[in-house]
């Protein structure tokens, strides 16, 4: 059985997709980011909770504040990427549920009245949305450089609040010279899938 998606799109989104480590200086516009979000917002989450929040780091001052919280190897690429996004999970996502899940607005209180339940749900579903966001960046013809090598507590204190948990930082732009490390191996189907 073949996939329905055009092979060129399969390559763009998956087979040729790599984490970019260098970028050109071509800017990433607000319109491009809006188009990415307008596509990926349709990716499913449990209860349609949509807890991902995106903080765009554009100013030189904000970039400097972020770079100091990145692992040493991630600092140069974060300092020079055309756009950097901090992806976080909103632990108060349940406040939006009456609008986002209108056929069961009581889900807000029935399932998510306790903070630990919200934090677990937000972390999982925002991570799903972060993956959608990365694929959306690729669909826009840009490269993404997602990173978790950072001081999470420092990034939270510097850019977020106690209700938002940082998940990752993503550098975004057109890939630059020597942007890619060699392709790493992948597990095969029979190493991953078990039938019971």
């Amino acid at each position: 059985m073949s996939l329905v998606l055009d092979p060129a799109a399969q390559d763009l989104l998956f087979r040729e997709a790599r984490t970019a480590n260098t970028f050109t200086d071509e800017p990433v516009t607000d319109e491009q980011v809006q188009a990415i979000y307008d596509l990926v917002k349709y990716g499913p989450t449990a209860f349609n909770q949509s807890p991902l929040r995106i903080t765009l780091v554009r100013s030189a001052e904000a970039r400097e504040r972020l770079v100091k919280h990145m692992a040493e190897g991630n600092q140069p690429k974060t300092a020079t990427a055309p756009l950097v996004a901090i992806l976080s999970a909103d632990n108060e996502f349940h406040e939006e549920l009456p609008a986002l899940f209108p056929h069961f607005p009581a889900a807000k209180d029935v399932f998510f009245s306790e903070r630990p339940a919200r934090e677990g749900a937000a972390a999982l579903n925002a991570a799903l949305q972060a993956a959608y966001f990365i694929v959306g960046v690729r669909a826009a013809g840009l490269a993404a450089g997602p990173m978790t090598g950072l001081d999470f507590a420092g990034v939270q204190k510097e850019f977020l609040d106690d209700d938002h948990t940082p998940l990752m930082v993503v550098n975004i732009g057109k890939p630059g010279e020597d942007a890619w490390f060699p392709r790493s191996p992948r597990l095969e189907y029979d190493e991953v899938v078990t039938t019971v």
Side-chain angles (χ1 to χ4, degrees):
M1 177 178 143
S2 62
L3 299 173
V4 174
L5 189 65
D6 177 77
Q10 294 174 37
D11 289 343
L12 175 70
L13 298 179
F14 295 100
R15 290 190 198 98
E16 294 176 5
R18 313 275 283 284
T19 295
N21 293 290
T22 67
F23 298 89
T24 70
D25 58 3
E26 183 178 330
V28 177
T29 67
D30 289 336
E31 292 76 18
Q32 286 173 299
V33 177
Q34 174 87 48
I36 291 165
Y37 178 74
D38 285 343
L39 174 65
V40 304
K41 69 183 179 184
Y42 294 107
T45 57
F47 293 94
N48 197 34
Q49 59 191 245
S50 306
L52 181 70
R53 301 296 179 262
I54 303 165
T55 303
L56 300 178
V57 180
R58 287 203 180 273
S59 73
E61 179 269 335
R63 184 76 61 106
E64 188 175 320
R65 287 168 40 218
L66 176 60
V67 167
K68 70 182 183 183
H69 295 293
M70 301 303 296
E72 186 177 345
N74 291 333
Q75 289 179 355
K77 51 191 169 187
T78 303
T80 57
L83 179 64
V84 181
I86 300 168
L87 304 187
S88 63
D90 182 357
N91 296 305
E92 298 299 311
F93 69 86
H94 68 306
E95 296 295 344
E96 305 293 338
L97 281 182
L100 292 175
F101 205 60
H103 55 282
F104 185 26
K108 171 188 174 206
D109 298 314
V110 171
F111 296 108
F112 302 110
S113 62
E114 300 296 325
R115 176 72 178 232
R118 291 197 303 275
E119 288 178 350
L124 173 62
N125 287 280
L128 283 173
Q129 288 186 286
Y132 302 148
F133 181 79
I134 293 165
V135 172
V137 167
R138 294 171 178 158
L142 300 169
M147 300 168 292
T148 56
L150 56 111
D151 173 5
F152 285 90
V155 168
Q156 182 175 28
K157 183 175 180 182
E158 194 84 42
F159 291 96
L160 306 170
D161 58 32
D162 290 341
D163 291 331
H164 293 80
T165 303
L167 301 171
M168 67 184 67
V169 169
V170 183
N171 294 327
I172 303 168
K174 292 282 187 181
E177 188 174 340
D178 298 321
W180 321 115
F181 292 144
R183 170 69 78 191
S184 296
R186 297 297 192 267
L187 296 173
E188 295 300 327
Y189 178 86
D190 60 358
E191 296 174 290
V192 175
V193 177
T194 303
T195 303
V196 294

